Amino acid sequence: LYERLAQVTQAYRKAHPDEPHWRPTVVFDIDKSGDSKIIASVCAHAKQLTHDKGLCHAIVVLSSSFAVAELPDDPGRQEFLRVGSFSREEASVVLDATLVALPKEVASD
């Protein structure tokens, strides 16, 4: 994963030299609540990818509002967005408006 993120970042920056600080965004979707070990593990990996290695930005999606209580306490790097009950289409609209998609010459299948 580290190598792939570095490759995508390098390819994007080569195609867009005016954006030297661009990084991809990885979305972690956790559909279980009540399993604090999974949430803690995902958050630890997200921290390693984003803060320690600086390879990407990360979004952790929790399907249950109760799962927020299971997040490790890290107020300096966490931002919460409560979206209610979005349909898949509504969530796609919000993400499309919020995130910049990879251009075709960089995206992979």
Side-chain angles (χ1 to χ4, degrees), residues 4-105:
R4 184 65 186 138
L5 288 171
Q7 290 169 350
V8 167
T9 301
Q10 183 179 21
Y12 184 91
R13 289 177 181 172
K14 184 176 181 181
H16 299 87
D18 57 326
E19 298 182 53
H21 302 292
W22 181 91
R23 293 186 292 172
T25 299
V26 175
V27 179
F28 297 94
D29 188 358
I30 303 173
D31 62 358
K32 290 184 175 185
S33 72
D35 194 338
S36 57
K37 289 182 183 179
I38 290 175
I39 294 171
S41 177
V42 167
C43 289
H45 287 297
K47 179 189 173 290
Q48 186 176 33
L49 290 169
T50 59
H51 181 71
D52 299 346
K53 303 269 186 205
L55 292 171
C56 64
H57 300 285
I59 296 174
V60 178
V61 178
L62 302 171
S63 298
S64 167
S65 60
F66 299 109
V68 172
E70 299 172 30
L71 286 170
D73 189 33
D74 194 358
R77 289 188 289 250
Q78 294 173 340
E79 291 182 38
F80 295 102
L81 172 65
R82 297 187 189 273
V83 294
S85 299
F86 275 2
S87 68
R88 187 174 213 40
E89 293 77 25
E90 291 169 327
S92 292
V93 169
V94 169
L95 286 175
D96 287 345
T98 306
L99 302 175
V100 177
L102 289 174
K104 290 179 184 174
E105 67 270 13

